[in-house]
Amino acid sequence: MLVLNCSVKLQMLEKMLMWSFPESLKVYGAVMIINRGNPFRKEVVVDKWPDFKAVITRPQRESEMDDLDHYTNAHAVFYKELQAYKELLENTNTINWGQIFQIQGLQDGICEVSRTVALTKDVDVKISSFRTCICLENIRNSFLPNTFTLLFLRMDPKLTVSYLDISHASLLNETWSRGGNARCQRYLANLICCFPSVCILDDKGCPLSWSLTDQFATMIHSYTLPEHRRKGYSRLVATALAKKLHSQGFPAQGNVLETNTPSVTMLKSMNAQFLPCSFIRMIHTPFHFLSKPHL
């Protein structure tokens, strides 16, 4: 196991990961952020270098961490050989198995390996699966600007296209399906401070539609308040955030539940490309935490 601290090697890794799209997309997004200031204090672990077969991005070990905060204790995974990933996961220096944490990736093998290794460490694993989509550069250059302009011109002049600020974290926490707790609100506030976001504000400065970016350069928590839906705001926000990410060199990627028909329909109408691989998120919880009522 090696921790890549060298900036030259990290730049090399970023380029190498591009050759393994789309499966490497989550790790690629995390590595891009590391190479551009690393505001979320992440680091990269590989099985070997430069001919790595597995790579994991994780929180820096020297950072202060809340063992119950699986939002921040998040890892992205990509492997070329499943056995190499399994061996990396089994290494006690790779991941802190004593805390609640999550692993994200776009390869089915990570589920099997996580379950297998977790059983040996008395850790429960809950798995969620989503469709993954990406807005390509050629779409950005042709379709998106025209769509943005048209939607913007149709918008109520009392409304403003802006970006989220930390005062909005409470509203986002209340409306996110994964939220509703203090740790999530703190996490969302950190995302707002560190990464691109877009929102539509009413005449009182309150968000009525929004989306933001997470620590893996993924567009998340796209939401419009119920009383403001079916007006094109979600489309406008998604278009604006995709443009912003592309302008900074990032891919515009997102995840959506198969059952979320309105979002799937909207993304298809925007010519977003749905990837053949599913996005997988696994929450790992040590057995001794399961009995705690506050989790």
Side-chain angles (χ1 to χ4, degrees):
M1 185 205 82
L2 297 172
V3 178
L4 291 188
N5 294 318
C6 173
S7 60
V8 174
K9 292 180 180 178
L10 288 168
Q11 292 287 347
M12 289 176 59
L13 177 62
E14 180 180 323
K15 294 178 181 179
M16 294 162 74
L17 288 167
M18 295 178 68
W19 293 101
S20 298
F21 281 175
E23 289 82 3
S24 64
L25 196 55
K26 294 300 174 184
V27 171
Y28 175 75
V31 172
M32 283 192 73
I33 290 173
I34 291 172
N35 287 337
R36 289 157 180 79
N38 198 14
F40 243 62
R41 299 179 182 177
K42 296 288 186 177
E43 62 187 11
V44 176
V45 176
V46 294
D47 59 325
K48 57 184 178 180
W49 183 262
D51 300 319
F52 68 90
K53 302 301 180 184
V55 55
I56 297 176
T57 64
R58 69 182 188 186
Q60 290 177 343
R61 284 300 176 90
E62 59 269 26
S63 300
E64 290 187 16
M65 289 184 288
D66 176 355
D67 285 342
L68 304 182
D69 180 10
H70 72 267
Y71 303 100
T72 304
N73 302 334
H75 307 66
V77 168
F78 168 69
Y79 62 82
K80 296 179 181 178
E81 293 182 5
L82 188 57
Q83 182 60 29
Y85 168 56
K86 183 174 184 293
E87 292 173 0
L88 195 57
L89 201 60
E90 289 173 332
N91 189 316
T92 56
N93 293 319
T94 302
I95 285 179
N96 180 1
W97 287 88
Q99 64 180 196
I100 303 177
F101 66 94
Q102 64 172 289
I103 290 178
Q104 298 189 6
L106 293 167
Q107 295 167 287
D108 292 339
I110 64 177
C111 295
E112 172 193 349
V113 167
S114 277
R115 285 197 180 107
T116 300
V117 177
L119 282 175
T120 69
K121 299 180 181 294
D122 294 330
V123 172
D124 177 71
V125 180
K126 286 186 170 57
I127 299 174
S128 302
S129 179
F130 304 79
R131 296 188 70 179
T132 300
C133 65
I134 187 167
C135 177
L136 301 176
E137 281 289 318
N138 62 334
I139 297 175
R140 192 249 330 197
N141 290 332
S142 57
F143 180 81
L144 287 179
N146 295 332
T147 301
F148 180 81
T149 302
L150 181 60
L151 291 171
F152 184 81
L153 291 173
R154 290 178 177 174
M155 193 173 70
D156 187 328
K158 295 181 181 179
L159 305 180
T160 306
V161 177
S162 186
Y163 53 86
L164 295 165
D165 67 49
I166 196 170
S167 68
H168 303 143
S170 177
L171 175 61
L172 269 64
N173 181 43
E174 293 171 3
T175 53
W176 199 20
S177 60
R178 298 178 57 206
N181 60 79
R183 290 185 178 88
C184 182
Q185 183 165 326
R186 183 175 65 232
Y187 170 69
L188 290 167
N190 288 337
L191 293 183
I192 290 170
C193 291
C194 293
F195 305 123
S197 65
V198 170
C199 67
I200 296 177
L201 301 177
D202 64 16
D203 55 356
K204 297 180 181 179
C206 298
L208 53 86
S209 184
W210 61 80
S211 185
L212 65 161
T213 314
D214 73 3
Q215 56 196 306
F216 306 106
T218 303
M219 297 165 62
I220 66 163
H221 194 6
S222 298
Y223 189 87
T224 300
L225 297 177
E227 61 270 28
H228 296 286
R229 292 174 184 171
R230 304 183 67 83
K231 298 178 182 178
Y233 296 154
S234 292
R235 187 185 184 95
L236 175 58
V237 167
T239 300
L241 185 53
K243 284 166 58 67
K244 183 179 289 189
L245 288 169
H246 278 137
S247 71
Q248 297 180 16
F250 288 93
Q253 55 168 315
N255 311 307
V256 60
L257 283 170
E258 181 73 45
T259 55
N260 189 345
T261 304
S263 292
V264 171
T265 301
M266 181 192 74
L267 290 166
K268 287 181 177 179
S269 73
M270 293 173 62
N271 292 339
Q273 177 182 330
F274 282 88
L275 304 181
C277 47
S278 296
F279 165 65
I280 298 167
R281 181 176 62 240
M282 295 166 292
I283 308 297
H284 296 67
T285 306
F287 289 162
H288 65 269
F289 283 135
L290 293 175
S291 60
K292 296 184 180 295
H294 58 280
L295 294 182

